[in-house]
Amino acid sequence: RAAMLWPILLVWLLFSGVSLLGTPVPGVNEPHYVCKARSLIDPEWCERDFFLRSANVHWCFLYLTGWWSQWSSFSGTVISGRLLSALVLALGWRSLCGAVGLNGWRSLLAASIFAVVTQLGSFSGEWILGGYESKVPAWGLGWAALGYWIGGSTTGQLRRVMLAGLCCGLSVTLHPVVGGWFGVGVAGASVLRVFCGGGIRSEVISLGVFGAASIFAALPGLLPALRFLLSGQESTAVRDRAIFVQVYWRLRHHLDPTAITAEQWWFAGLLLSLVLLSGLWLQGGRRLDLLFGCGDRNKSLANLQRVLMVALALASAGILVGWHADPVEQMRGWQWRGNLLRFYPFRFFDGMLPTVTAIMVVLCGARLSESLQAVGLRALWPKWAMCLLVLFAGAWGLAMWKRPAAPAGYTRAGWRDWQAACVWLQTHTEKASLVLTPRESFAFKWLSERAEYVCYKDCPQDPAGIVKWDSRLWKVHAWSAESLQDGRYDAGDLERLRLQTGCDYILIRGQEPFESVPAWSGEYWKIYRVH
């Protein structure tokens, strides 16, 4: 039993260290999720914040997080959430590595490689280690699902296939997109197994067991997600505008293939080449085995390779659907294309590529070690241990080296001043106050517990909410442009802002030309009463 636990505990320690050492609290998306979760449980909290009142997709995750936030501070909720998420990731990682034949030490080595590689880059901005949000435990459950499915489909044990389905369904419950793509990956890999000589009847039965278990476990999250997708009564114009704003502007760096940088293309190409070369060597140089995972040397690895091929196919389809050289509005059918892209077709590939790379590199190292021992050379275990130590420490060191001193858009001093401004609002204003914050606003509700009129980071996910969010940003821009025609913000400008937005306060950079005396003044930021 101890032999089973220690690899999980060490991988948990590795993943927890990368998350806590590399990402300050709160991380980039944590205020977005935790504040939404708090408002789900306590609707009166920041009740005038329209983002918090918008529709919820990740309902189960938000409910669980919101319930815990009633008993813990925001920081405590996030830290405990990161630790728990890292444990789910560790359990899933051990399940997946064990399914392809990696023992405890080698699975830890693969985890260390994964932790280093994912900090060096990504294909579409997907990250797994580095914060607390719904996708992190969803990835851990997805890995567990793959581990059980690989073990069950290789040996014909339907009980393990059922467990795979349950894990996949729970992943959907926490994050419908992440869990859903894992389900698609398993289904696509099952189809590829048929082309590689697998029996159609056995594959249909296995996939049926997997699908039934997945749907059963996914119902708590699937039903709210389906209600979210089907409940909208918006006009076509509103839906089209929402697609444009979400896919081709706000989340363009994740969803639009033309926004992927050359560095990201090279990073993915390098990892994919490494996977292909490793697979070619492990399968004895047979091209058919490399392409379809049809080899018989390691059937479990072949199943994992098929899942990666499905992920690659999904990403390739996303590139074909979304690629454009002209402006989006001139692309034929940009509406339906954007409607498909909003399901993150690159996410599954972006997470599975470093996962499979780390596992296959360790498998190649193990094969090399066995080959050297077979010809009478000294075993490589001391070097394996040294490599593990270096990679483990390197993952933590890289995390600390990449740790930002302050959130994006802030200097250290500016971030301290921002926190002081938020604390002043929390202690000197009514709980029902509505505040206009600047574009770079970060963790405002977390720190001040006051509602924001609009926050660039907090974009809703339903069409009506997205359009409302967009219109509020433009309304603030129009007010600022009109007010500054005479070079200053005067009392008439503030009154017009109050009538247009209902805001009670403005938190803004100190160099902005206001005529009135600030209610609070710091080195970088100032707070003005609107009325």
Side-chain angles (χ1 to χ4, degrees):
R1 189 177 297 272
M4 295 174 60
L5 288 178
W6 71 259
I8 295 172
L9 291 176
L10 287 178
V11 172
W12 171 73
L13 183 64
L14 170 68
F15 289 166
S16 297
V18 171
S19 179
L20 294 173
L21 294 174
T23 306
V25 176
V28 63
N29 290 330
E30 287 168 340
H32 177 97
Y33 275 94
V34 175
C35 291
K36 198 83 163 69
R38 170 69 180 274
S39 70
L40 179 64
I41 300 297
D42 182 9
E44 294 182 357
W45 186 78
C46 295
E47 60 182 344
R48 296 178 66 189
D49 192 292
F50 93 97
F51 164 72
L52 298 182
R53 305 278 80 79
S54 64
N56 297 310
V57 179
H58 310 116
W59 190 88
C60 289
F61 174 83
L62 293 175
Y63 180 84
L64 294 172
T65 301
W67 173 82
W68 179 240
S69 72
Q70 300 296 295
W71 306 92
S72 174
S73 66
F74 283 161
S75 294
T77 299
V78 161
I79 292 173
S80 59
R82 289 193 194 185
L83 293 174
L84 182 59
S85 297
L87 179 59
V88 176
L89 287 173
L91 290 167
W93 186 266
R94 184 67 195 107
S95 172
L96 180 57
C97 289
V100 296
L102 294 183
N103 61 23
W105 285 112
R106 290 171 180 173
S107 66
L108 179 58
L109 180 60
S112 301
I113 295 173
F114 172 82
V116 170
V117 169
T118 53
Q119 293 182 78
L120 296 177
S122 67
F123 178 63
S124 63
E126 179 73 345
W127 57 265
I128 299 174
L129 306 177
Y132 175 58
E133 60 178 80
S134 57
K135 71 176 181 179
V136 180
W139 268 101
L141 289 165
W143 284 341
L146 287 186
Y148 282 122
W149 175 77
I150 288 171
S153 60
T154 303
T155 62
Q157 297 177 344
L158 291 180
R159 183 181 64 85
R160 295 180 67 84
V161 174
M162 183 185 67
L163 289 173
L166 292 175
C167 289
C168 185
L170 290 175
S171 180
V172 172
T173 291
L174 292 180
H175 196 293
V177 171
V178 169
W181 284 136
F182 271 101
V184 172
V186 168
S190 298
V191 173
L192 287 178
R193 279 170 56 89
V194 174
F195 284 100
C196 292
I200 296 179
R201 182 174 179 274
S202 62
E203 291 300 330
V204 170
I205 293 174
S206 176
L207 194 56
V209 171
F210 176 86
S214 296
I215 293 173
F216 173 77
L219 287 177
L222 194 59
L223 291 177
L226 289 175
R227 186 169 60 247
F228 169 85
L229 292 173
L230 300 176
S231 63
Q233 302 297 324
E234 300 85 2
S235 65
T236 301
V238 170
R239 291 196 298 269
D240 289 349
R241 179 62 183 172
I243 289 171
F244 179 86
V245 170
Q246 182 183 40
V247 175
Y248 299 108
W249 181 46
R250 179 61 185 87
L251 297 177
R252 183 172 180 263
H253 54 295
H254 292 307
L255 305 179
D256 187 345
T258 62
I260 298 174
T261 66
E263 180 180 306
Q264 290 173 305
W265 283 104
W266 278 107
F267 179 82
L270 177 63
L271 292 190
L272 191 57
S273 299
L274 190 58
V275 167
L276 292 173
L277 291 174
S278 299
L280 187 63
W281 187 56
L282 289 170
Q283 295 291 356
R286 290 172 290 183
R287 295 181 181 179
L288 184 64
D289 297 345
L290 177 64
L291 184 59
F292 294 106
C294 298
D296 55 4
R297 290 198 172 189
N298 190 334
K299 292 182 179 180
S300 298
L301 177 60
N303 283 328
L304 181 60
Q305 290 173 321
R306 292 185 190 107
V307 174
L308 179 61
M309 282 186 284
V310 174
L312 176 59
L314 291 171
S316 300
I319 293 169
L320 292 175
V321 166
W323 194 266
H324 59 96
D326 298 322
V328 172
E329 298 91 329
Q330 299 177 17
M331 181 171 57
R332 181 179 299 177
W334 66 265
Q335 297 91 339
W336 69 262
R337 296 171 187 268
N339 202 34
L340 294 177
L341 291 173
R342 69 191 182 101
F343 290 100
Y344 289 79
F346 313 117
R347 165 171 271 167
F348 190 42
F349 174 72
D350 204 1
M352 284 303 299
L353 183 57
T355 300
V356 178
T357 299
I359 289 173
M360 293 190 68
V361 166
V362 174
L363 285 171
C364 285
R367 175 69 62 83
L368 177 61
S369 179
E370 293 169 359
S371 299
L372 292 176
Q373 291 182 60
V375 296
L377 296 179
R378 185 179 178 182
L380 295 181
W381 69 265
K383 297 180 181 178
W384 277 97
M386 181 61 68
C387 184
L388 173 59
L389 180 62
V390 169
L391 283 170
F392 195 105
W396 279 11
L398 185 60
M400 289 187 287
W401 180 69
K402 292 174 67 68
R403 181 186 179 96
Y410 296 82
T411 62
R412 289 186 179 182
W415 173 236
R416 288 194 298 268
D417 204 44
W418 173 267
Q419 294 176 81
C422 291
V423 170
W424 185 89
L425 284 165
Q426 184 186 31
T427 55
H428 290 81
T429 64
E430 297 292 330
K431 290 184 177 181
S433 298
L434 182 63
V435 184
L436 178 63
T437 55
R439 181 184 177 93
E440 62 268 41
S441 171
F442 177 73
F444 175 80
K445 290 183 281 291
W446 171 299
L447 296 166
S448 70
E449 300 195 48
R450 298 295 181 266
E452 287 178 277
Y453 176 72
V454 65
C455 175
Y456 179 78
K457 181 65 179 174
D458 291 343
C459 179
Q461 294 183 297
D462 60 299
I466 293 171
V467 171
K468 186 176 182 180
W469 172 84
D470 181 55
S471 67
R472 288 194 172 203
L473 287 175
W474 281 108
K475 183 180 290 186
V476 172
H477 173 77
W479 170 81
S480 180
E482 183 179 352
S483 300
L484 284 177
Q485 288 182 356
D486 59 359
R488 65 178 186 271
Y489 297 104
D490 55 29
D493 297 325
L494 295 181
E495 176 62 18
R496 194 173 70 258
L497 178 66
R498 185 185 67 81
L499 293 174
Q500 292 178 359
T501 65
C503 287
D504 302 303
Y505 295 88
I506 300 178
L507 172 53
I508 200 165
R509 288 193 179 274
Q511 68 267 28
E512 296 293 336
F514 277 79
E515 285 188 346
S516 56
V517 177
W520 177 89
S521 180
E523 182 181 357
Y524 293 87
W525 304 96
K526 286 183 171 60
I527 299 172
Y528 294 89
R529 289 187 177 89
V530 175
H531 62 84

